[in-house]
Amino acid sequence: MSRPPFLLPPEPDAPFPPAELALSEPDGLLAVGGDLSPVRLLNAYAGGIFPWFSEGQPVLWWSPDPRMVFRTDGVRLSSRFRRTLRSSTWTVAADTAFARVMQACADAPRPGQDGTWITAAMHRAYVQLHQLGYAHSVEVFDGMQLVGGIYGVAIGRMFFGESMFSGRSGASKVALAALARTLYGWGWPLIDAQVENPHLLRMGAAHLPRDAFLARVRTLVQDAETEPAGSWTRRFGHWPASVLAVSAPV
């Protein structure tokens, strides 16, 4: 490590250092400290930065290089999985169970991880962002039972994915594909997937150099006036997961 990460001042609206100054080791660590207030979180995401830390640590802020992203027309579901979806009775909706999705993501076991990075403080912070219309979830239901989901933060036409879970095999795939299909239809081109993960790579995620990612983010978040914050429940709708059996995104 050539230098320590930047120490954030206590003021929630204090600017972040440019993401381009993040460390290469550990990859993407930019700053430490501050809080998870809405204004700080929104400033972070708009600058291509996200929080990631464990219980007992100070808040750590990251912007890795390269960045993992999905094109919203590029999420892949295998032919075999699509065949199973043809007869699926699952349905998908948005912003009807945000806190439950986030808690399920926190509770989901992760290979090689002991515990969760979704701390109680982070849960409270993102529920507050959801109430303000910036954090959203896509839910997968089997009847009335929540079986999968994904959540993240939206600013303008940019969606920053945070975590997803499967209570049933394949349910997180359905949540991600439903999110991508919907965003593609809205004209949103990218979903931030943050860091490399073999599962995400198999589903179509790709590396994007940080400078290219930041350039896209800076353009897309400027559409906040045409894509204002608010609930997605009505706009997203409630529809059958079997729609995703077809290969086209729309």
Side-chain angles (χ1 to χ4, degrees), residues 124-176:
R124 290 191 298 270
Y126 284 80
V127 167
Q128 186 176 9
L129 272 189
H130 171 65
Q131 293 167 345
L132 293 171
Y134 290 101
H136 303 279
S137 59
V138 171
E139 303 97 21
V140 183
F141 291 99
D142 184 0
M144 298 296 292
Q145 184 178 6
L146 179 68
V147 296
I150 186 172
Y151 78 94
V153 175
I155 305 175
R157 289 192 301 128
M158 183 68 205
F159 189 87
F160 303 90
E162 276 295 316
S163 188
M164 56 186 181
F165 85 98
S166 281
R168 302 270 186 86
S169 178
S172 65
K173 296 179 184 178
V174 169
L176 175 60

Side-chain angles (χ1 to χ4, degrees), residues 35-37 41 53 55 59 102 117-128:
D35 58 15
L36 297 174
S37 62
L41 283 170
F53 60 100
E55 194 74 58
V59 183
M102 194 170 181
W117 54 269
I118 304 176
T119 65
M122 186 168 280
H123 191 280
R124 290 191 298 270
Y126 284 80
V127 167
Q128 186 176 9

Side-chain angles (χ1 to χ4, degrees), residues 92-94 138-139 175 178-179 182 186 232-239:
V92 292
V138 171
E139 303 97 21
L179 171 66
T182 300
W186 294 351
W232 283 1
T233 301
R234 180 175 294 182
R235 185 181 185 187
F236 188 97
H238 189 187
W239 40 276

